[in-house]
Amino acid sequence: MWNHLLLLCIWLSTAESWISPTLNSPKSTIYSSLFAAQKNSDGGGISIRPAEYSELHPVSDIILHSFYDKKIHNGPWKRVYKLAELNRIQQNFPYQETDLHQMLVAIDDESARVVGFADIDARPCRTKIRLPRPYLSDLCVDADFRRRGIANRLVQACERFVQSIPRSDLWIR
């Protein structure tokens, strides 16, 4: 068993480069006006827009630091959890059906760094248990950029997206 675990750790240390190919998502022109990059009213320089596939690595870091126990951040299992999150969001990335599913990022205009994320999904539920749709999930902001209204702006962008579908409800997952 330990041999398998060692091989898994070695594989994980080298797999990160090929798990995330340098694909870019098709740009959605329909919703480009919904998420038009806007500055904060206080001049904070944060843009909200649909995520690109190449931005999922920093998104997985923000998710890891926002939702996982602090012990994991520097522990030996950090790469495993990061790759698990990266795999989850890559598999859920809206390659198609962008009219019903968006992953949004908040970008610091000064550094061009991803500092926030939200996932909004209105696709029909494919499970036996009908989960409510549309839902907002994985709302998170980098710790260095919190308390600046970024999460609020991400939620507002999600609300605009839901209104454009048009739907009147938004669930939080």
Side-chain angles (χ1 to χ4, degrees):
M1 177 179 156
W2 289 108
N3 290 341
H4 293 285
L5 185 58
L6 178 61
L7 289 174
L8 175 65
C9 290
I10 292 170
W11 176 81
L12 288 173
S13 67
T14 59
E16 191 169 344
S17 61
W18 62 266
I19 285 178
S20 175
T22 56
L23 290 180
N24 283 329
S25 68
K27 302 285 183 188
S28 172
T29 56
I30 297 171
Y31 295 104
S32 60
S33 62
L34 282 174
F35 308 111
Q38 300 172 1
K39 303 268 189 220
N40 270 341
S41 58
D42 64 0
I46 301 294
S47 302
I48 308 293
R49 61 168 174 74
E52 296 179 5
Y53 189 88
S54 61
E55 295 168 327
L56 296 182
H57 271 280
V59 165
S60 65
D61 284 328
I62 295 171
I63 289 173
L64 187 75
H65 284 86
S66 296
F67 298 119
Y68 285 81
D69 190 316
K70 302 276 187 246
K71 295 175 190 173
I72 291 171
H73 297 179
N74 294 317
W77 292 98
K78 177 183 178 181
R79 291 183 67 86
V80 173
Y81 285 104
K82 178 185 162 74
L83 287 173
E85 279 301 324
L86 181 60
N87 181 53
R88 180 181 68 84
I89 58 178
Q90 283 176 337
Q91 289 191 12
N92 199 31
F93 189 76
Y95 298 102
Q96 301 168 350
E97 299 179 344
T98 56
D99 55 332
L100 295 175
H101 182 214
Q102 286 285 314
M103 290 182 170
L104 303 176
V105 289
I107 304 291
D108 176 35
D109 294 335
E110 191 174 308
S111 65
R113 182 174 143 202
V114 176
V115 298
F117 178 75
D119 187 1
I120 181 79
D121 194 348
R123 296 174 294 182
C125 186
R126 295 184 180 110
T127 62
K128 288 185 179 186
I129 300 172
R130 296 290 172 205
L131 302 172
R133 302 289 173 116
Y135 67 83
L136 181 148
S137 67
D138 295 322
L139 176 65
C140 53
V141 176
D142 185 289
D144 295 336
F145 288 82
R146 291 183 184 155
R147 310 295 300 165
R148 298 183 192 182
I150 297 170
N152 187 33
R153 292 188 57 219
L154 284 164
V155 169
Q156 289 172 352
C158 290
E159 289 172 342
R160 286 192 302 274
F161 176 76
V162 169
Q163 290 168 350
S164 74
I165 294 176
R167 299 273 178 90
S168 59
D169 296 349
L170 176 59
W171 298 84
I172 298 175
R173 181 174 177 199

